[in-house]
Amino acid sequence: MKTMKYYAVVAGHQPGIYNDWPSVVRSIGGYPAAYYRSFNSEKEAHTFLNSESQPREAKARLPIQGPATVRVAAVSYQGNGGYGLVITRADGEAESICGPVPASDCPQQVADFYSVYVALYLFTGDLVIETSSRSVVDALTFLVRKWINEQWRGVVNRAVIEACYNLMTGRNIEFRLKPKSELSEAFILAEKGRCCESKSADEASPQ
């Protein structure tokens, strides 16, 4: 018999305690920097939620004013995606963010674009975004205008690409293509975010 799980969603569309995975997905789906954990008891979940909510909310007020440089990375394995961001602000302050990509059967390219979407969503103003994905750089620097003119005909992953482009409008966004070796910290974070998603999905899936 499967042990019942309780999920404490600290940062999401609707923070709170849930006892089923589909409700968690509705709360965190499409919410950048979603933050949650699972527990074996409701008491543990409430304790975690109460201890984490205040500092998390104070730190994660959105949107954050730029400019900033954001190193982004994403991973996908067996349909589970994760993203990682290493942020350096103009004043030198640094922080990191990671989480799952809220997409079922997530391919690598979707995870790559989603990591950029999170960076664009979290910050207003100008950004430098460093990524190892040439597909992302090409798509968002020149291909997107061609696709718009052609009314997005035949474009795979239109939803996430268009969401990124809409957040770029009226801003100075510079993309820098970097080797993975220079983004190692962001990739470690992305794997952490992916594993969080994979673990939760495995716990909630029928056996």
Side-chain angles (χ1 to χ4, degrees):
M1 183 176 178
K2 184 180 288 188
T3 303
M4 188 171 187
K5 290 289 184 181
Y6 295 88
Y7 300 88
V9 176
V10 178
H13 297 295
Q14 187 64 50
I17 304 297
Y18 299 89
N19 59 17
D20 65 286
W21 179 241
S23 295
V24 177
V25 171
R26 285 192 293 272
S27 179
I28 67 172
Y31 189 93
Y35 183 37
Y36 65 97
R37 280 185 60 185
S38 65
F39 298 89
N40 291 324
S41 74
E42 188 173 6
K43 182 179 178 180
E44 288 177 306
H46 276 290
T47 298
F48 177 78
L49 181 65
N50 292 336
S51 65
E52 291 288 317
S53 291
Q54 283 304 114
R56 183 78 180 188
E57 289 170 0
K59 186 177 181 181
R61 288 190 293 268
L62 301 178
I64 306 168
Q65 183 63 44
T69 298
V70 186
R71 285 173 284 162
V72 304
V75 295
S76 180
Y77 180 68
Q78 295 184 341
N80 295 309
Y83 67 87
L85 277 63
V86 179
I87 302 156
T88 304
R89 304 189 194 185
D91 60 4
E93 183 180 351
E95 65 178 295
S96 59
I97 296 171
C98 67
V101 179
S104 58
D105 195 21
C106 176
Q108 179 63 48
Q109 197 169 73
V110 168
D112 288 336
F113 280 108
Y114 190 79
S115 67
V116 173
Y117 170 78
V118 173
L120 293 167
Y121 182 94
L122 286 176
F123 284 88
T124 61
D126 300 341
L127 282 183
V128 173
I129 297 177
E130 299 181 345
T131 174
S132 64
S133 172
R134 179 171 290 279
S135 296
V136 166
V137 174
D138 289 349
L140 295 176
T141 54
F142 66 90
L143 288 176
V144 66
R145 289 183 285 276
K146 173 178 177 287
W147 293 335
I148 291 171
N149 290 335
E150 295 176 351
Q151 299 183 332
W152 298 96
R153 284 192 297 271
V155 176
V156 178
N157 302 323
R158 171 185 172 176
V160 67
I161 296 170
E162 189 172 17
C164 288
Y165 183 73
N166 289 340
L167 289 173
M168 292 168 57
T169 303
R171 302 165 64 182
N172 182 21
I173 308 296
E174 178 186 350
F175 287 94
R176 296 176 182 171
L177 190 62
K178 296 287 184 177
K180 288 185 177 181
S181 59
E182 293 186 22
L183 303 173
S184 57
E185 185 179 354
F187 273 103
I188 291 170
L189 288 166
E191 183 62 25
K192 180 180 177 182
R194 185 197 69 80
C195 288
C196 181
E197 168 75 353
S198 177
K199 181 175 183 292
S200 297
D202 289 346
E203 288 169 349
S205 61
Q207 299 295 328

